Amino acid sequence: MNPLELIRAPARQAGSLDDLGHRPWPLPPGRWLMGQTWTDLLFAHWRVPAAALRPLVPDELEVETFDDEAWLAITPFRLGGLRLHGTLPLPALSSFPELNVRTYVTDGEKPGIFFLSLDAASGPAVAAARRFYRLPYFRARMTARRRGSHVVFSSIRTEAGSFPRAFRASYRPTGPVSNAHPGTLEYFLTERYCLYAWESRQLYRAEIHHAPWPLQPAEVAIGENTMAPRPVDPPSEPSLAHFARRQDVVIWPLERL
């Protein structure tokens, strides 16, 4: 994130709260904890059997399906403007590439995201997310570069003692920006306003807010992908892909359920 964008990020993150009409439920009480800005993000989605995901998700959560199909997503992006509420992002610590592997769940009340793994190129961010959000983060060596209209992304997990994982891909938008409509598959996959975490047999939830996703159809060429956990074994090419140039996000503290 360049210096000008770093200065603008806090206002844009907080400004996302000016648009609430699209939310599926009201904002949570209390003050949000953290602001982030996500850029050059790819939603790469695979149809997978719900039975393959079931062992990876706590029994307290239901694996959600759309038209009887479950979904696995890999989302590479660059995180920028990372900051706590009321502070400014620090240039040396607030921007780095990240790669998430996720599926879609509900606790019976709020549909959300369940992360199977998260890789990031920042040791402090990995340590903080593990401690305060109880998420399965791993340290990785990563690059995310724009080459013309393409984003070239590479990630190799370097966490000591972890199972080796890698992802290499080139992707680009191929159409105009649009917002997903309720009831569509695109809405089911992207418009999620909470995340769930599981640690020591305890379920947690963190609320999220952002504007509707500015989605574009995407073209993706995957060179390597060993991110999916067993027993999930997706095909080499995703079933569906979307691109988002930027999303400003605020996140509330983790809540024990």
Side-chain angles (χ1 to χ4, degrees):
M1 183 172 283
N2 64 50
L4 182 59
E5 285 297 307
L6 199 66
I7 293 170
R8 291 175 174 171
R12 294 188 64 164
Q13 293 163 4
S16 69
L17 293 165
D18 295 337
D19 183 4
L20 303 179
H22 61 287
R23 286 187 58 86
W25 58 79
L27 288 177
R31 191 172 69 175
W32 56 269
L33 175 65
M34 180 169 48
Q36 300 183 8
T37 297
W38 305 333
T39 57
D40 292 342
L41 183 143
L42 173 70
F43 286 110
H45 278 105
W46 284 263
R47 295 180 181 89
V48 296
L53 290 168
R54 182 66 269 177
L56 305 173
V57 175
D59 291 341
E60 286 79 358
L61 294 171
E62 174 189 346
V63 177
E64 284 203 301
T65 61
F66 188 93
D67 288 343
D68 297 322
E69 293 181 312
W71 290 81
L72 177 83
I74 294 178
T75 57
F77 61 99
R78 176 168 282 278
L79 189 152
L82 177 64
R83 67 189 182 96
L84 295 177
H85 191 284
T87 70
L88 295 175
L90 299 175
L93 298 174
S94 66
S95 182
F96 48 87
E98 184 165 323
L99 176 70
N100 299 339
V101 181
R102 69 191 211 174
T103 190
Y104 304 102
V105 299
T106 181
D107 68 344
E109 297 181 359
K110 294 181 177 180
I113 297 163
F114 187 77
F115 290 105
L116 303 174
S117 67
L118 308 94
D119 289 58
S122 167
V126 166
R130 284 177 179 169
R131 179 176 179 182
F132 295 108
Y133 281 89
R134 304 174 188 266
L135 292 170
Y137 262 92
F138 299 91
R139 182 68 187 269
R141 184 171 67 252
M142 312 174 92
T143 58
R145 299 188 178 95
R146 291 183 185 176
R147 293 182 182 172
S149 63
H150 287 79
V151 177
V152 180
F153 194 98
S154 174
S155 175
I156 300 173
R157 188 175 294 175
T158 58
E159 185 85 16
S162 66
F163 192 85
R165 305 281 186 187
F167 183 82
R168 292 184 298 108
S170 172
Y171 54 91
R172 69 182 182 95
T174 59
V177 174
S178 64
N179 299 137
H181 296 290
T184 64
L185 175 60
E186 289 77 11
Y187 187 93
F188 172 88
L189 296 173
T190 60
E191 295 298 326
R192 300 263 161 172
Y193 292 87
C194 69
L195 64 85
Y196 291 94
W198 176 256
E199 185 182 71
S200 301
R201 302 183 64 82
Q202 179 61 53
L203 186 65
Y204 300 86
R205 181 171 61 213
E207 301 274 356
I208 303 168
H209 180 74
H210 51 72
W213 276 98
L215 298 176
Q216 296 174 261
E219 173 186 272
V220 55
I222 296 177
E224 183 179 12
N225 178 17
T226 59
M227 298 305 301
R230 295 178 180 176
V232 181
D233 185 22
S236 57
E237 297 302 319
S239 310
L240 191 67
H242 289 91
F243 177 86
R245 182 64 70 188
R246 178 181 180 128
Q247 183 65 285
D248 295 287
V249 184
V250 292
I251 306 171
W252 274 258
L254 201 64
E255 169 191 21
R256 183 172 177 171
L257 299 180

